C-alpha cells in the first residue's frame, strides 16, 4: 500500500509556472506613505481667557458677552469665542479697549467663619467676596471652605491655575487643625487612616495626629490630598465624633502663618511661577562673563 504525497496536487501533474510581477510604469516612484503633518498649535490664548485675565469678566460671562456681540477684535465684531488672540490684536468691549491682561497671581486669604465661599448665595448670606478688599482685582477661589470653617483659602485671577490646584492629581497635602468633642484615642481614627465609605462616597485615607486633650474636646491635625464637600466633618460623624472648629492651616506649599482673619496677602511672583512649574520661573540674571586679568 502506497501513501499519497503530502501535496494536495496530484502526482505527475505539471504545475503552472508563476507569472512574474508586472514592472511599474516608467516615470512612477514607489509609494512611500508619509505621516500626516502635525497640526500646529495656534498662537496666543482664547479670547475669553484674555478677557478674564484683563479683569473684564469671568470666562463664562465673557463668552456670553461675545455671543451678545459686545466684543470686537481688530475692528471686527465677534460672534463666537472660538478664537485665539495675541498681544498684537486690538480688543474692545462695548467700543472701549480692554486693559493689559495680567499674569498669573495667587493670594492667601484667611477666611473667617460665617461667610459663604461663593459669588452669589441664594439664601442671601454674606460671601467672602462681600468682605474682600476693594483694591483686589477680580479673583476666584481655589476650592472651598464651608460656612463654619475658617483658615487658608487661596485666591487666583487665572482659571487655569484654579483648575490645576484643585485636581487631586496635583497631590498637594492640605492640613487642618480640628477640634472635636469627645475623648478619642489613636485607635479611634484607625478607620479614617485606612479610608472610609460615608453615605456611598469613598473618602481616601487621612493623615491624623492626636495633639492634645483640652477638657471635653480634643485637638487633632488632619492631612488630606483631596477635599470633598464637608469631608472631615462627615468622616468624624461616621466614627461618632463631632467637629466644633475647623481651621485650614496650609494648602500644599502655601501656609496660613500669622495671617489674621479677613486679611489678604499676595504670594510673590517668583514663588508662584516656581511652585506651579511655569516657564521662566526664575528670571535670568544679567551677569557679565568673568574675564581674566593679564599679569
Amino acid at each position: 500500500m502506497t501513501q499519497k504525497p503530502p501535496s494536495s496536487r496530484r502526482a505527475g501533474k505539471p504545475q503552472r509556472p508563476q507569472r512574474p510581477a508586472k514592472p511599474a510604469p516608467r516615470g512612477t516612484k514607489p509609494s512611500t506613505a508619509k505621516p500626516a503633518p502635525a497640526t500646529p498649535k495656534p498662537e496666543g490664548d482664547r479670547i475669553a481667557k484674555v478677557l478674564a485675565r484683563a479683569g473684564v469678566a469671568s470666562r463664562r460671562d465673557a463668552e456670553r458677552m461675545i455671543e451678545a456681540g459686545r466684543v470686537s477684535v481688530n475692528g471686527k465684531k465677534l460672534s463666537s469665542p472660538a478664537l485665539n488672540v495675541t498681544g498684537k490684536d486690538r480688543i474692545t468691549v462695548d467700543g472701549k479697549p480692554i486693559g493689559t491682561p495680567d499674569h498669573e497671581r495667587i493670594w492667601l486669604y484667611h477666611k473667617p467663619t460665617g461667610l459663604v465661599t461663593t459669588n452669589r448665595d441664594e439664601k442671601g448670606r454674606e460671601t467672602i467676596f462681600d468682605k474682600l478688599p476693594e483694591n483686589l482685582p477680580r479673583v476666584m477661589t481655589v476650592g472651598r471652605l464651608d460656612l463654619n470653617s475658617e483658615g487658608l483659602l487661596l485666591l487666583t485671577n487665572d482659571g487655569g491655575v484654579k483648575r490645576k490646584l484643585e485636581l487631586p492629581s496635583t497631590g498637594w497635602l492640605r492640613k487642618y487643625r480640628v477640634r472635636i468633642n469627645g475623648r478619642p484615642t489613636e485607635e479611634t481614627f484607625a478607620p479614617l487612616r485606612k479610608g472610609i465609605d460615608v453615605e456611598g462616597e469613598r473618602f481616601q485615607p487621612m493623615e491624623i495626629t492626636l495633639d492634645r486633650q483640652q477638657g471635653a474636646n480634643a485637638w487633632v491635625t488632619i492631612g488630606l490630598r483631596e477635599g470633598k464637600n464637608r469631608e472631615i466633618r462627615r468622616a468624624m460623624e461616621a466614627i461618632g465624633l463631632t467637629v466644633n472648629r475647623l481651621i485650614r492651616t496650609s494648602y500644599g506649599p502655601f501656609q496660613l502663618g500669622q495671617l489674621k482673619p479677613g486679611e489678604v496677602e499676595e504670594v510673590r511672583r517668583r514663588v508662584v511661577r516656581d511652585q506651579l512649574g511655569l516657564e521662566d520661573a526664575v528670571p535670568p540674571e544679567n551677569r557679565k562673563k568673568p574675564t581674566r586679568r593679564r599679569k
Side-chain angles (χ1 to χ4, degrees):
M1 182 175 178
T2 58
Q3 294 182 349
K4 294 182 179 180
S7 173
S8 60
R9 299 178 183 273
R10 294 181 180 177
K13 187 176 180 180
Q15 298 182 4
R16 294 181 181 179
Q18 295 182 351
R19 295 181 181 180
K22 293 183 179 180
R26 290 183 179 181
T28 61
K29 296 180 179 180
S31 61
T32 54
K34 295 182 179 181
T39 305
K41 185 179 179 180
E43 295 182 0
D45 293 312
R46 283 297 179 104
I47 179 66
K49 178 179 180 179
V50 173
L51 292 173
R53 280 273 191 88
V56 175
S58 66
R59 289 195 189 187
R60 187 172 298 177
D61 289 340
E63 291 176 354
R64 295 193 186 102
M65 294 168 70
I66 293 169
E67 293 171 355
R70 298 174 57 189
V71 181
S72 298
V73 176
N74 300 326
K76 184 179 179 181
K77 188 178 294 186
L78 297 184
S79 58
S80 169
L83 175 71
N84 277 41
V85 294
T86 67
K88 300 178 182 179
D89 294 306
R90 185 170 55 87
I91 306 170
T92 60
V93 176
D94 297 332
K96 298 179 181 179
I98 67 170
T100 304
D102 205 352
H103 54 71
E104 304 93 340
R105 301 169 70 183
I106 293 178
W107 290 264
L108 311 178
Y109 171 56
H110 188 155
K111 176 196 173 295
T113 58
L115 297 179
V116 184
T117 310
T118 184
N119 289 298
R120 304 178 188 87
D121 183 59
E122 56 186 15
K123 297 180 180 179
R125 295 171 294 184
E126 281 190 315
T127 74
I128 65 164
F129 297 100
D130 296 326
K131 298 295 183 179
L132 291 178
E134 294 182 357
N135 61 347
L136 205 65
R138 191 194 67 83
V139 295
M140 57 198 82
T141 63
V142 178
R144 295 189 177 192
L145 284 174
D146 62 43
L147 179 70
N148 296 318
S149 297
E150 56 191 296
L152 181 62
L153 187 64
L154 298 184
L155 308 174
T156 180
N157 66 333
D158 187 275
V161 170
K162 169 183 168 67
R163 287 190 293 274
K164 181 176 182 177
L165 298 188
E166 289 177 344
L167 288 173
S169 58
T170 303
W172 276 356
L173 188 68
R174 305 145 197 206
K175 286 192 174 182
Y176 301 80
R177 288 273 292 151
V178 183
R179 188 178 67 191
I180 53 180
N181 183 253
R183 295 182 177 274
T185 64
E186 291 291 348
E187 295 180 358
T188 306
F189 304 114
L192 304 188
R193 293 188 177 114
K194 296 178 181 178
I196 189 173
D197 291 314
V198 179
E199 298 175 348
E201 190 172 10
R202 181 67 179 176
F203 291 163
Q204 296 300 317
M206 300 180 181
E207 298 180 9
I208 304 179
T209 302
L210 179 58
D211 298 325
R212 72 179 190 274
Q213 187 74 35
Q214 189 177 28
N217 298 312
W219 281 95
V220 297
T221 299
I222 299 179
L224 303 176
R225 295 196 182 276
E226 61 175 340
K228 297 181 179 178
N229 184 34
R230 301 182 70 253
E231 181 171 351
I232 293 177
R233 296 180 188 275
R234 293 165 60 197
M236 289 296 175
E237 289 174 1
I239 60 173
L241 298 172
T242 303
V243 173
N244 51 37
R245 191 173 183 188
L246 190 150
I247 310 166
R248 183 193 280 163
T249 57
S250 67
Y251 195 111
F254 303 109
Q255 306 289 323
L256 180 64
Q258 300 301 315
L259 205 62
K260 297 179 180 178
E263 286 186 345
V264 179
E265 179 180 293
E266 184 170 7
V267 180
R268 292 182 180 181
R269 171 70 173 161
R270 178 173 177 173
V271 175
V272 172
R273 297 188 69 81
D274 186 33
Q275 293 295 341
L276 299 182
L278 302 173
E279 295 179 359
D280 302 326
V282 180
E285 296 180 352
N286 296 323
R287 293 184 179 180
K288 294 182 180 180
K289 294 183 179 180
T291 56
R292 291 185 179 181
R293 293 183 180 180
R294 294 182 180 179
K295 294 183 179 180

